[in-house]
């Protein structure tokens, strides 16, 4: 039987521009030219979910990367310059942030370095879990018809924290843009000084070095030059325990900021436009009434004498109506109650947790011996703590406004409801008819404060009244509050105003009575962002160039090729800390694979090892015996694991009927024990393609680790050595085939098939869709079909994502 087992094949409706296998599960993420991100399973290439493009996130996906635990998928968009972190379980954005450049490449790695300090930190329970109450899950959505939040809760936001072990998302873009994000959220380095557009990135597992491939183009008409840089990031590795602790704190802070943002979004959903009805009706009443009596006096006469003018009666009975008043009262009560609960349970809990983590971070910053060199600034963190305190004060102010508004509206609507029933000569229940002098005074005070006509307000907001006071706090605008809280007679305010020492005291949080909750929240986010920015600047400046090698020039015809599929390809051997650069160059009509090995171990005699690989004849029955032994050109090459490279080959002289080949190239066949690797003496004044004659070439004859790709013009491959899978893409970018690369012997395969059949029977009996459990025979029959006969895209299914 042929090597590698085909387990899926699909013709896709859109051209695929990116492919990335999950490191932990049999899942592959795709991005197509339409801007859609899709997730497929290995089995029969079944689609799990799709995330369509939208105006907010962007429509041009230019990079994909998986978090090392496989629970978060990151994708970069060049049109909006945003990076989206998406939950693997469902197509939902958990977090997004903007960058300063168009994104061209992303690499998400996990730190493999071990130490006793790190191990104790990884194993220790997070103290915040012991000292802080668990954050309540966010409501899924608000029902405007039922006026309540759904019972379904969402705690996906907490997935952003992930594992404690440090991982880093390295982002590259145009014009030498490179940034490193710890845990995919906190920017720990902003690297400068690397020219060109980034085509490849690889951060070593010990954080000592960063390999970069860039495409440098002097002018639009000139050919681009591919260049390899190795950057020294030793500051990160030297202070790895401190970087990990600092990054973990900042990730907590970023997650809490996102939690507070989503809580505020829920509050805005709970607040409805119907609550503005009273303001708009009263404004219209002012514009249409013919009398000179003020609206406040009209309502006062109704309250004191029980008589209303004909115009007021028309407003109440014809426009507002008894039914409309009851509906408005119910809307206000349910909306205010929901907002109040969110402020108490979510906003305050999230803010207090934020205060805790910032205070801990300040303590770390004061340990200057450990953290000063990383750019952690105690004064900046103090400003952030002060900003969070101001936000908590504003949230408490909103609670007071909600509380007083609910009391006021309840008394006002109760009185107005009875008055309207009397106007319509309906029966008034005895319990509603009772109104004490205290109630009358309460309503009179409400009318005096809320029913004053304000011409200057009409110029600002197009209305004369601001009866509803809660909505102004939820407006995301820079304008001052229309009706700020009344602080006259407040003894604490008077005391502070008259105290010269307390007025500027750092122990007191500043208070912004004129500003909305959204404004104070945005101000808090900006100050915390500034606080996070300094370490990225300091660490970024410490990164310096160690090696620069000019590789080769690219032809203009390659410009239409999707960026992900362009070689060179970078790889870091985590066990022996060897940096690999994998690329192809054309020589005598044959495209060879070049493997550059850079050793970071200074004790070795060889620092640069470079070898060219050409593929000899291993399909004797398909070619003429007299043909040249160098008969295969490499179309694509990727590291499968530390010991193997996966390649897609084609015959150099392509003829009708000649098939493409998927093969595994063991590095042991390239680097043999007999052959002592020679140091490649690099002439820095020349490009590598100008020194190709001096590079030793190894001809490799593959034995059994290859497979002919029948009826497919294969061009690109994406592999995952951990899950032992590969996905081959055709040159038209629409036809994919999926393979399991490590095939067991026949006995083991038969046993596995029997187990799969038993499991399949159980799943179908449990009511799962039959399409998701096709047998291997059925899959092979689909795989054997020609491109025209392949079935179209199947419908999206709710699938299990267990590994």
């Amino acid at each position: 039987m042929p090597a590698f087992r085909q387990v899926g094949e699909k013709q896709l409706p859109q051209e695929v521009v990116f492919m990335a296998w999950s490191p932990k599960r049999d899942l592959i993420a795709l991005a197509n030219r339409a801007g859609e991100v899709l997730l497929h399973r290995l089995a029969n290439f079944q689609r799990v979910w799709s995330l369509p493009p939208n105006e907010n996130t962007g429509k041009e996906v230019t990079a994909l990367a998986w978090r090392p635990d496989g629970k978060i998928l990151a994708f970069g968009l060049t049109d909006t310059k945003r990076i989206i972190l998406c939950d693997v379980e469902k197509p939902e954005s958990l977090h997004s942030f903007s960058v300063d450049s168009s994104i061209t490449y992303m690499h998400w790695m996990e730190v493999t370095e071990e130490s006793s300090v790190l191990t104790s930190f990884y194993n220790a329970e997070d103290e915040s879990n012991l000292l802080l109450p668990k954050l309540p899950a966010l409501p899924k959505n608000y029902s405007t018809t039922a006026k309540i939040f759904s019972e379904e809760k969402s705690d996906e936001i907490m997935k952003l924290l992930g594992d404690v072990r440090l991982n880093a998302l390295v982002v590259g873009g145009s014009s030498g843009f490179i940034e490193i994000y710890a845990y995919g959220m906190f920017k720990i380095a902003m690297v400068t000084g690397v020219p060109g557009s980034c085509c490849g990135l690889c951060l070593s597992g010990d954080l000592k070095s960063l390999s970069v491939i860039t495409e440098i183009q002097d002018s639009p008409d000139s050919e681009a030059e591919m260049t390899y840089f190795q950057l020294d990031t030793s500051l990160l590795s030297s202070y790895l325990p401190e970087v990990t602790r600092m990054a973990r704190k900042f990730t907590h802070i970023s997650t809490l900021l996102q939690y507070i943002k989503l809580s505020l979004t829920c509050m805005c959903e709970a607040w409805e436009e119907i609550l503005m009805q009273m303001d708009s009706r009263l404004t219209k009443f002012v514009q249409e009434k013919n009398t000179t009596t003020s609206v406040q006096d009209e309502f006062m006469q109704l309250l004191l004498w029980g008589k209303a003018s004909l115009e007021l009666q028309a407003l109440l009975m014809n426009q507002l109506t008894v039914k409309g008043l009851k509906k408005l009262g119910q809307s206000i009560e349910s909306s205010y109650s929901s907002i109040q609960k969110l402020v108490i349970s979510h906003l305050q809990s999230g803010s207090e947790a934020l205060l805790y983590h910032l205070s801990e971070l300040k303590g770390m910053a004061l340990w200057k011996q450990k953290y000063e060199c990383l750019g952690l600034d105690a004064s900046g963190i103090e400003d952030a703590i002060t900003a969070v305190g101001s936000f908590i004060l504003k949230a408490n102010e909103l609670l007071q406004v909600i509380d007083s508004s609910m009391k006021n509206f309840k008394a006002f609507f109760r009185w107005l409801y009875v008055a309207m029933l009397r106007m319509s000569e309906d029966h008034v229940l005895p319990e509603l008819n009772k109104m004490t002098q205290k109630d009358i005074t309460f309503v009179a005070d409400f009318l005096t404060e809320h029913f004053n006509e304000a011409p200057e307000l009409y110029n600002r907001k197009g209305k004369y009244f601001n009866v509803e006071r809660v909505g102004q706090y939820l407006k995301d605008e820079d304008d001052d509050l229309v009706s700020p809280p009344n602080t006259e007679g407040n003894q604490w305010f008077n005391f502070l105003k008259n105290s010269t020492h307390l007025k500027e005291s750092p122990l007191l949080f500043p208070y912004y009575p004129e500003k909305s909750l959204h404004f104070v929240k945005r101000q808090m986010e900006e100050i915390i962002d500034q606080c996070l920015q300094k370490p990225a600047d300091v660490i970024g400046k410490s990164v310096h160039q160690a090696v620069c090698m000019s590789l080769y020039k690219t032809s203009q015809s390659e410009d239409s090729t999707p960026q992900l599929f362009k070689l060179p390809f970078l790889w870091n051997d985590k066990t022996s800390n060897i940096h690999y650069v994998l690329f192809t160059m054309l020589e005598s009509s044959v495209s060879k694979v070049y493997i550059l090995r850079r050793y970071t171990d200074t004790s070795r005699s060889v620092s640069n090892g470079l070898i060219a690989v050409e593929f000899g004849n291993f399909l004797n029955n398909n070619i003429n015996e007299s043909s040249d032994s160098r008969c295969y050109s490499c179309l694509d090459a990727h590291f499968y694991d530390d010991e193997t490279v996966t390649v897609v080959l084609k015959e150099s002289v392509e003829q009708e009927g000649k098939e493409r080949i998927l093969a595994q190239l063991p590095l042991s066949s390239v680097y043999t024990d007999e052959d002592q690797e020679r140091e490649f003496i690099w002439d820095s004044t020349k490009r590598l393609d100008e020194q190709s004659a001096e590079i030793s070439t190894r001809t490799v004859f593959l034995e059994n680790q290859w497979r002919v790709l029948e009826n497919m013009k294969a061009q690109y491959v994406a592999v995952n050595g951990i899950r032992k899978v590969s996905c081959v893409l055709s040159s038209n970018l629409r036809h994919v085939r999926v393979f399991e690369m490590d095939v067991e012997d026949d006995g083991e395969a038969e046993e596995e098939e029997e187990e799969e059949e038993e499991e399949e029977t159980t799943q179908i009996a449990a009511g799962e869709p039959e399409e998701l459990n096709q047998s291997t025979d059925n899959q092979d029959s689909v795989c054997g079909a020609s491109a025209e006969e392949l079935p179209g895209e199947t419908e999206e299914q709710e699938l299990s994502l267990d590994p």
Side-chain angles (χ1 to χ4, degrees):
M1 66 180 285
F4 322 140
R5 183 169 61 184
Q6 185 173 322
V7 292
E9 183 168 24
K10 189 81 71 177
Q11 283 281 6
L12 300 173
Q14 295 284 346
E15 292 181 355
V16 174
V17 290
F18 297 101
M19 302 187 295
W21 282 102
S22 166
K24 297 291 184 184
R25 303 179 181 184
D26 292 333
L27 298 168
I28 186 170
L30 308 176
N32 59 33
R33 286 214 191 274
E36 189 179 19
V37 178
L38 307 106
L39 193 68
H40 285 257
R41 285 182 70 180
L42 170 68
N44 204 26
F45 210 71
Q46 181 71 44
R47 188 172 71 183
V48 179
W49 55 249
S50 64
L51 184 64
N54 63 65
E55 297 293 337
N56 297 326
T57 56
K59 296 184 176 180
E60 194 176 341
V61 181
T62 50
L64 285 175
W66 284 92
R67 195 168 75 181
D69 65 0
K71 293 179 180 178
I72 300 286
L73 173 68
F75 56 95
L77 299 124
T78 194
D79 49 343
T80 55
K81 297 180 181 177
R82 292 191 71 77
I83 292 173
I84 312 295
L85 302 186
C86 184
D87 183 12
V88 69
E89 300 289 342
K90 56 192 76 171
E92 288 181 3
S93 169
L94 294 180
H95 182 64
S96 67
F97 55 92
S98 298
V99 292
D100 297 330
S101 171
S102 298
I103 301 150
T104 56
Y105 196 89
M106 292 197 307
H107 164 67
W108 207 332
M109 56 75 67
E110 185 173 61
V111 173
T112 55
E113 190 74 4
E114 296 288 352
S115 72
S116 58
V117 178
L118 279 173
T119 304
S120 62
F121 176 66
Y122 292 154
N123 296 334
E125 188 174 359
D126 191 346
E127 286 185 357
S128 61
N129 294 333
L130 303 173
L131 300 173
L132 295 172
K134 187 180 178 183
L135 291 178
L138 290 162
K140 203 68 176 165
N141 60 323
Y142 183 76
S143 168
T144 51
T145 51
K147 303 287 186 288
I148 55 170
F149 281 98
S150 66
E151 289 298 315
E152 188 183 357
K153 302 292 182 182
S154 168
D155 59 353
E156 277 89 0
I157 188 71
M158 292 300 116
K159 291 181 182 177
L160 288 172
L161 288 172
D163 295 333
V164 181
R165 179 177 286 276
L166 182 62
N167 57 73
L169 175 65
V170 192
V171 179
S174 54
S175 308
F177 171 84
I178 300 172
E179 289 183 344
I180 304 173
Y181 291 83
Y183 299 104
M185 296 181 70
F186 159 51
K187 183 162 63 176
I188 54 169
M190 190 165 58
V191 182
T192 55
V194 179
S197 178
C198 182
C199 298
L201 292 162
C202 188
L203 184 61
S204 64
D206 57 6
L207 297 186
K208 287 183 179 177
S209 62
L210 172 64
S211 297
V212 184
I213 296 286
T214 65
E215 190 175 42
I216 303 171
Q217 193 164 14
D218 298 328
S219 66
D221 300 326
S222 64
E223 289 183 324
E225 191 171 288
M226 304 301 288
T227 308
Y228 168 73
F229 295 92
Q230 190 173 315
L231 307 178
D232 186 320
T233 56
S234 54
L235 181 65
L236 287 174
S237 61
S238 302
Y239 290 87
L240 183 55
E242 290 76 21
V243 168
T244 304
R245 288 177 183 275
M246 181 178 74
R248 192 65 184 167
K249 277 294 163 201
F250 274 134
T251 306
H252 272 289
I253 290 164
S254 300
T255 303
L256 287 166
L257 285 174
Q258 181 74 354
Y259 180 84
I260 289 169
K261 179 184 174 183
L262 293 174
S263 300
L264 258 175
T265 303
C266 290
M267 288 163 60
C268 293
E269 286 176 3
W271 187 85
E272 303 171 49
E273 290 297 328
I274 190 175
L275 306 183
M276 301 291 290
Q277 209 174 78
M278 183 64 79
D279 294 345
S280 57
R281 292 274 164 82
L282 291 174
T283 299
K284 190 177 180 184
F285 177 60
V286 169
Q287 292 169 336
E288 293 178 354
K289 72 184 179 70
N290 298 318
T291 60
T292 55
T293 313
S294 69
V295 172
Q296 188 186 85
D297 290 343
E298 293 265 10
F299 277 94
M300 280 293 190
Q301 286 178 12
L302 179 60
L303 174 66
L304 299 175
W305 313 115
K307 292 183 180 180
S309 65
L310 293 174
E311 288 179 324
L312 183 59
Q313 283 188 41
L315 168 72
L316 296 176
M317 303 307 295
N318 299 336
Q319 294 185 35
L320 191 58
T321 71
V322 174
K323 187 178 178 182
L325 183 71
K326 286 179 73 176
K327 185 181 178 184
L328 184 59
Q330 289 168 355
S331 294
I332 285 177
E333 188 174 359
S334 65
S335 181
Y336 283 6
S337 296
S338 297
I339 294 171
Q340 193 176 41
K341 286 174 187 173
L342 283 166
V343 174
I344 294 169
S345 62
H346 294 75
L347 217 56
Q348 287 187 334
S349 300
S351 304
E352 287 163 6
L354 195 56
L355 209 54
Y356 167 83
H357 287 293
L358 282 168
S359 300
E360 285 227 316
L361 199 63
K362 182 187 172 186
M364 291 162 62
L366 292 172
W367 194 354
K368 295 189 176 181
Q369 181 188 357
K370 294 277 189 181
Y371 293 96
E372 189 175 38
C373 57
L374 297 175
L376 211 51
D377 179 27
S379 61
I381 298 168
E382 186 63 53
D383 292 340
I385 290 171
T386 304
V388 175
S390 298
F391 179 74
I392 292 173
L393 286 179
K394 184 56 71 172
N396 285 332
E397 180 191 310
L398 175 58
L399 279 179
Q400 292 172 2
V401 171
I402 291 172
D403 191 51
S404 62
S405 293
M406 287 177 78
K407 289 176 184 174
N408 289 337
F409 275 121
K410 198 168 185 178
F412 173 69
F413 283 138
R414 186 168 179 262
W415 161 72
L416 194 59
Y417 178 64
V418 172
M420 291 171 71
L421 286 177
R422 284 177 180 154
M423 285 179 199
S424 60
E425 298 181 353
D426 285 345
H427 173 65
V428 181
L429 296 172
E431 58 268 20
L432 292 174
N433 213 5
K434 294 174 184 175
M435 220 178 158
T436 63
Q437 187 61 40
K438 187 180 177 181
D439 295 335
I440 293 171
T441 307
F442 195 77
V443 174
D445 289 342
F446 176 74
L447 291 172
T448 305
E449 187 180 349
H450 292 74
F451 280 66
N452 270 329
E453 292 177 36
E456 71 280 357
L457 179 60
Y458 187 79
N459 296 331
R460 277 178 62 192
K461 300 289 183 180
K463 60 181 184 178
Y464 287 105
F465 302 92
N466 191 46
V467 179
E468 199 281 318
R469 300 285 171 94
V470 174
Q472 59 182 349
Y473 285 87
L474 304 177
K475 299 282 185 187
D476 192 5
E477 53 190 31
D478 294 332
D479 291 349
D480 290 349
L481 294 178
V482 173
S483 304
N486 185 9
T487 56
E488 286 183 20
N490 187 306
Q491 293 180 357
W492 173 249
F493 269 89
N494 294 335
F495 174 66
L496 283 181
K497 198 180 290 184
N498 299 325
S499 171
T500 52
H501 298 292
L502 283 176
K503 201 181 292 182
E504 303 297 329
S505 171
L507 299 174
L508 297 177
F509 296 136
Y511 174 54
Y512 305 96
E514 304 288 330
K515 296 299 181 182
S516 72
L517 184 66
H518 255 292
F519 178 88
V520 179
K521 192 253 323 180
R522 197 164 63 244
Q523 183 177 262
M524 173 184 73
E525 288 175 336
E526 288 170 1
I527 292 172
I528 291 176
D529 281 344
Q530 288 173 11
C531 167
L532 302 187
Q533 183 63 35
K534 193 174 178 185
D537 294 337
V538 171
I539 295 171
K541 285 175 183 174
S542 75
V543 177
H544 59 272
Q545 182 179 305
V547 176
C548 174
M549 298 179 177
S550 179
L551 300 178
Y552 56 89
K553 291 203 174 225
T554 59
S555 61
Q556 295 289 331
S557 60
E558 286 184 10
D559 289 348
S560 60
T561 309
Q563 187 69 53
L564 181 80
F565 301 133
K566 285 186 179 179
L567 291 171
F569 178 76
L570 294 169
W571 181 264
N572 174 239
D573 186 330
K574 300 176 181 64
T575 54
S576 52
N577 281 327
I578 303 174
H579 294 276
Y580 286 96
V581 186
L582 202 61
F583 55 96
T584 60
M585 288 196 303
L586 199 64
E587 184 185 340
S588 305
S589 75
V590 175
S591 184
K592 294 181 182 179
V593 176
Y594 287 80
I595 304 174
L596 169 65
R597 294 211 289 193
R598 280 200 46 79
Y599 298 91
T600 55
D601 185 358
T602 54
S603 63
R604 292 185 65 101
S605 59
V606 178
S607 59
N608 286 328
L610 181 62
I611 196 165
V613 179
E614 60 183 14
F615 296 90
N617 169 22
F618 54 91
L619 280 177
N620 291 322
N621 56 338
N622 281 3
I623 64 166
N624 193 315
E625 291 291 335
S626 62
S627 67
D628 191 349
S629 63
R630 296 183 305 163
C631 54
Y632 296 105
S633 283
C634 181
L635 298 173
D636 197 14
H638 284 270
F639 266 88
Y640 179 75
D641 54 31
D642 289 340
E643 299 170 353
T644 313
V645 175
T646 304
V647 293
V648 176
L649 306 173
K650 72 167 184 176
E651 291 193 28
S652 303
V653 184
E654 197 161 7
Q655 301 173 16
E656 192 67 31
K658 298 298 182 186
E659 308 290 357
R660 306 287 170 96
I661 296 161
L662 177 67
Q664 295 281 61
L665 171 64
L667 290 184
S668 58
S669 65
V670 178
Y671 301 102
T672 58
D673 294 335
E674 295 78 19
D675 178 70
Q676 186 64 37
E677 188 172 7
R678 290 188 296 110
E679 171 83 15
F680 179 73
I681 309 302
W682 197 288
D683 186 349
S684 59
T685 61
K686 296 180 182 179
R687 293 191 315 273
L688 180 67
D689 56 358
E690 296 170 334
Q691 306 174 57
S692 58
E694 299 166 27
I695 302 171
S696 58
T697 301
R698 177 66 44 80
T699 302
V700 176
F701 296 88
L702 300 175
E703 296 178 3
N704 56 359
Q705 288 296 299
W706 54 269
R707 175 170 179 150
V708 175
L709 301 171
E710 298 170 351
N711 302 319
M712 183 182 192
K713 200 173 181 182
Q715 188 78 22
Y716 309 108
V717 65
V719 294
N720 181 355
I722 299 170
R723 305 301 297 181
K724 305 184 188 313
V725 288
S726 70
C727 181
V728 181
L729 181 67
S730 66
S731 57
N732 68 2
L733 306 179
R734 291 173 185 261
H735 183 188
V736 294
R737 278 187 194 167
V738 188
F739 295 92
E740 286 182 348
M741 303 300 282
D742 286 7
V743 184
E744 305 87 350
D745 59 44
D746 294 345
E748 289 179 1
E750 283 173 14
E751 283 178 21
E752 188 178 323
E753 276 186 33
E754 286 174 11
E755 287 174 9
E756 283 177 1
E757 284 173 11
E758 286 175 15
E759 187 180 341
E760 177 186 334
T761 310
T762 309
Q763 288 175 340
I764 294 173
E768 282 201 358
E770 200 166 328
E771 294 83 3
L772 307 187
N773 301 287
Q774 293 181 2
S775 67
T776 310
D777 294 337
N778 288 341
Q779 291 168 11
D780 288 339
S781 67
V782 172
C783 299
S786 66
E788 290 77 11
E789 294 169 337
L790 286 170
E793 184 70 26
T794 58
E795 291 184 5
E796 187 172 342
Q797 305 276 355
E798 286 292 331
L799 303 179
S800 167
L801 293 182
D802 291 335

